[in-house]
Amino acid sequence: MSDFVKKYLERLQVTAIPSNKLDLLKCLFSHHIQNIPFENTYVLSRKPIVIEKYKLFEKIVENKRGGFCCELNYLFSCLLKEFDFDVELYGARVYGKGNRLGTRNGHMFSVVTIDGQKYIPDVAFADRSPDDVLPFVLDTLIKTAANTYRYRTLPEGEVLYEVKKKTVYDMETGRPAEEDLRPDVEEWIWGYKFTPVPIQVTDIEQPLKFFTTDVENSIFLAGLYVCKALPGGYVSLHSDTLRIVEYVSVSEIKRSKEIVKRHQVDECLEKYFGLHPISGMILPNFM
């Protein structure tokens, strides 16, 4: 076992290696999303992001940071290759607020082929990440223990990744959340769309530059964006709002919300995401 694999598995807290390929993929995936957060603290600190195996290994494994999609999914693909998985990288355009479509290759994820079947172990799509490895099958409901997903065929050969909307209840009161009562909320939440053709790492250079330098338009420069899976849910810190989500069933979740003040940020990042304080973060939207 290489030093890269040994230290990566320690970071993931993996102690046993399943012999079955799909079981191994699911094991690595679940440990990854529960131990390494999606986060943008380096971007807010204006630290450079370099998509290179050992640069990312130093940041994410040795320095115990997280990262956003191109960092985490690329490094995870490197780990999978160490276990002789057949891995390709795909690029996608993300749907943001109001279903506004983002930049080309603004999201990158791995596609793994096992015995002729393709699977998508996307470890870095923040609060819209799947809670399990998903088989890449088209126009079929994909149900995990907690959620329902779909890869829907679009015109011109594109594919839309969707998550079925759940009823949201306040964790303290048990009442439906206000936004959940709106009549205009769609049944499916759009995640991203993509052409199922592999890309190269160099294809994300332009979107990476946009996300890390365009102060006016980049969501990653607009405030904190941190998310990590929990057993049976997830925790997120988006700008100044901390959310803890518990999966109740495939159709319901419980959620708590708390406003975090500027002097509480370091403590919050360490307590919920395992991120040590980092100097020089520029944090808009904080009291």
Side-chain angles (χ1 to χ4, degrees):
M1 182 180 292
S2 69
D3 193 52
F4 175 88
V5 173
K6 181 181 178 181
K7 289 184 177 179
Y8 207 143
L9 294 181
E10 289 174 356
R11 175 79 169 97
L12 299 184
Q13 300 183 38
V14 172
T15 57
I17 306 297
S19 58
N20 178 273
K21 276 282 193 180
L22 183 55
D23 290 343
L24 174 57
L25 179 61
K26 286 174 171 283
C27 171
L28 296 174
F29 173 87
S30 63
H31 280 78
H32 205 291
I33 63 175
Q34 291 185 37
N35 286 285
I36 301 181
F38 180 100
E39 55 104 342
N40 65 330
T41 57
Y42 264 40
V43 181
L44 292 173
S45 303
R46 305 304 192 264
K47 294 182 182 294
I49 303 296
V50 181
I51 308 303
E52 189 276 326
K53 179 178 178 179
Y54 291 102
K55 291 287 187 182
L56 293 175
F57 179 80
E58 179 183 12
K59 176 195 176 188
I60 294 166
V61 175
E62 295 185 330
N63 294 339
K64 293 182 169 54
R65 308 303 300 182
F68 48 72
C69 67
C70 55
E71 299 176 274
L72 300 187
N73 274 323
Y74 176 67
L75 190 63
F76 188 53
S77 76
C78 295
L79 176 65
L80 295 178
K81 288 177 181 178
E82 293 274 349
F83 284 99
D84 295 323
F85 280 99
D86 179 356
V87 186
E88 296 174 317
L89 296 172
Y90 282 24
R93 298 181 70 185
V94 175
Y95 287 95
K97 191 173 182 179
N99 283 340
R100 186 177 66 178
L101 196 56
T103 186
R104 185 170 179 266
N105 293 330
H107 182 58
M108 184 175 75
F109 58 95
S110 297
V111 177
V112 176
T113 303
I114 301 174
D115 296 331
Q117 172 63 57
K118 292 185 182 297
Y119 297 89
I120 298 182
D122 191 342
V123 298
F125 197 44
D127 54 2
R128 288 181 285 177
S129 287
D131 61 292
D132 201 351
V133 175
L134 302 182
F136 182 29
V137 291
L138 297 175
D139 304 314
T140 302
L141 296 184
I142 304 169
K143 294 187 177 183
T144 65
N147 291 288
T148 302
Y149 305 91
R150 182 169 65 186
Y151 293 105
R152 179 158 59 91
T153 303
L154 299 177
E156 300 180 4
E158 293 183 302
V159 176
L160 173 62
Y161 163 72
E162 301 176 297
V163 185
K164 194 167 187 180
K165 182 183 168 296
K166 293 183 160 194
T167 303
V168 182
Y169 294 95
D170 184 272
M171 202 171 284
E172 291 186 5
T173 67
R175 297 173 182 169
E178 284 187 19
E179 63 268 32
D180 198 60
L181 299 176
R182 287 170 35 209
D184 60 330
V185 175
E186 299 292 337
E187 181 184 6
W188 290 88
I189 299 168
W190 293 0
Y192 52 77
K193 73 172 183 175
F194 62 99
T195 302
V197 175
I199 64 168
Q200 302 298 317
V201 176
T202 52
D203 292 329
I204 65 165
E205 289 178 354
Q206 193 58 40
L208 179 62
K209 181 179 179 181
F210 164 75
F211 286 132
T212 56
T213 63
D214 192 329
V215 178
E216 295 296 323
N217 298 296
S218 170
I219 187 175
F220 297 120
L221 289 167
L224 278 166
Y225 204 158
V226 191
C227 187
K228 187 172 72 132
L230 301 171
Y234 65 87
V235 57
S236 68
L237 179 61
H238 193 184
S239 292
D240 64 349
T241 305
L242 178 72
R243 294 178 174 87
I244 299 176
V245 169
E246 174 189 338
Y247 299 134
V248 178
S249 69
V250 292
S251 60
E252 298 176 340
I253 63 173
K254 290 181 180 178
R255 184 187 65 199
S256 67
K257 292 173 66 174
E258 176 185 342
I259 300 300
V260 176
K261 296 184 178 180
R262 178 63 183 89
H263 70 276
Q264 299 173 311
V265 169
D266 287 348
E267 179 184 356
C268 181
L269 288 174
E270 191 152 12
K271 177 180 178 180
Y272 292 102
F273 306 99
L275 297 173
H276 299 303
I278 186 170
S279 61
M281 278 199 297
I282 300 173
L283 297 176
N285 306 320
F286 270 91
M287 297 175 62

